[in-house]
Amino acid sequence: MPTLTYLGHSAFLLEGDGTSVAIDPFLSGNPNASHRPDQIAPNTILLTHAHNDHLGDTVAIAKRTGATVIATFELGEWLQEQGVERAIDANHGGTVAFEGGTVKLTPAWHTSSYKDNGAVVAPGVPAGLVVRFGGKTVYFAGDTCLFGDMRLIGEEGLDLAVLPIGDRYTMGPADAARAVEFLNVGAVIPCHYNTFPSIRQDPHAFRRLVEERTTSRCVVLDPGQSHEV
Ligand code: NI
Ligand code: MN
């Protein structure tokens, strides 16, 4: 069974069968990060979008480890220009294989840009990720609002959904609980809260809301904690 470790904010490490996948590895500059960038060595990095709190330490980690990085088209091309040798560009609806699994990119309603010294250097569009790994299927929604096509994503047959609950830049807890209904998913893990004052939330209030409204299990992880998927 794969293990999912919360690294803080929207960063996760999915491990199993001797291989590992980092999702949105924003670690340096993340006040809640459980790991430093040099403490993870993923074989693959999956990105939902370019915002600095998601792209994070991707370039440094990929250059150090040789990890394959999978992202939407413009961001994948930009990563290649940064010297990330195994950057794969894809887009919504596409499925890409990586060591140990596959990822299918879904739409996400949000924006996407990477800022360097105030200049936008990596534009593009955001995505959600349906990751099949170790016999399980996990949906990482990325940053998004609630949208009705989450019902279609639910038809992928999800074991676990990772959803933002911070509000302001993404869904808040009430809409995330509606997303759990749309996704028809066994378990949900909240993320993208309490990193900054503007996204303060009580994840246990969200857990109670999910358990009142749905038959899904809600697992609240502190940074550094793991969950058997
Ligand atoms: Ni964002
Ligand atoms: Mn974000």
Side-chain angles (χ1 to χ4, degrees):
M1 266 198 297
T3 301
L4 186 68
T5 301
Y6 188 34
L7 307 180
H9 195 55
S10 279
F12 288 85
L13 192 66
L14 185 59
E15 297 172 284
D17 294 328
T19 185
S20 66
V21 184
I23 295 95
D24 287 354
F26 166 54
L27 302 175
S28 55
N30 174 354
N32 293 344
S34 61
H35 290 60
R36 295 191 312 268
D38 62 0
Q39 290 177 308
I40 63 168
N43 302 82
T44 306
I45 300 171
L46 306 178
L47 295 176
T48 62
H49 62 300
H51 281 159
N52 296 50
D53 61 321
H54 296 259
L55 186 82
D57 301 288
T58 295
V59 172
I61 295 168
K63 285 187 175 176
R64 195 189 87 239
T65 64
T68 297
V69 186
I70 303 171
T72 45
F73 180 76
E74 290 80 3
L75 182 54
E77 289 208 315
W78 180 80
L79 289 165
Q80 290 166 9
E81 290 164 10
Q82 302 313 300
V84 176
E85 284 183 12
R86 292 198 283 174
I88 298 179
D89 52 21
N91 224 323
H92 302 146
T95 299
V96 178
F98 59 83
E99 184 178 323
T102 65
V103 58
K104 182 176 184 179
L105 274 59
T106 73
W109 281 98
H110 192 63
T111 57
S112 180
S113 59
Y114 181 73
K115 275 192 180 172
D116 192 9
N117 286 322
V120 173
V121 294
V125 294
L129 311 170
V130 175
V131 178
R132 299 185 198 280
F133 184 83
K136 300 289 182 177
T137 303
V138 184
Y139 169 53
F140 295 89
D143 284 0
T144 187
C145 62
L146 179 69
F147 56 95
D149 283 352
M150 284 182 178
R151 293 185 191 279
L152 292 178
I153 296 169
E155 290 175 7
E156 299 274 343
L158 307 176
D159 296 292
L160 176 67
V162 176
L163 303 179
I165 65 162
D167 213 331
R168 183 151 173 177
Y169 307 107
T170 69
M171 296 186 280
D175 279 355
R178 294 169 71 196
V180 175
E181 292 179 281
F182 286 6
L183 292 164
N184 187 31
V185 64
V188 58
I189 291 176
C191 69
H192 211 273
Y193 62 91
N194 291 355
T195 317
F196 312 111
S198 55
I199 55 172
R200 193 160 298 288
Q201 296 293 341
D202 176 0
H204 295 284
F206 173 69
R207 176 176 52 76
R208 289 190 291 273
L209 192 59
V210 167
E211 291 175 354
E212 276 166 25
R213 290 186 62 137
T214 77
T215 56
S216 303
R217 197 157 69 91
C218 180
V219 180
V220 175
L221 297 178
D222 290 329
Q225 288 187 323
S226 298
H227 171 71
E228 297 273 308
V229 179

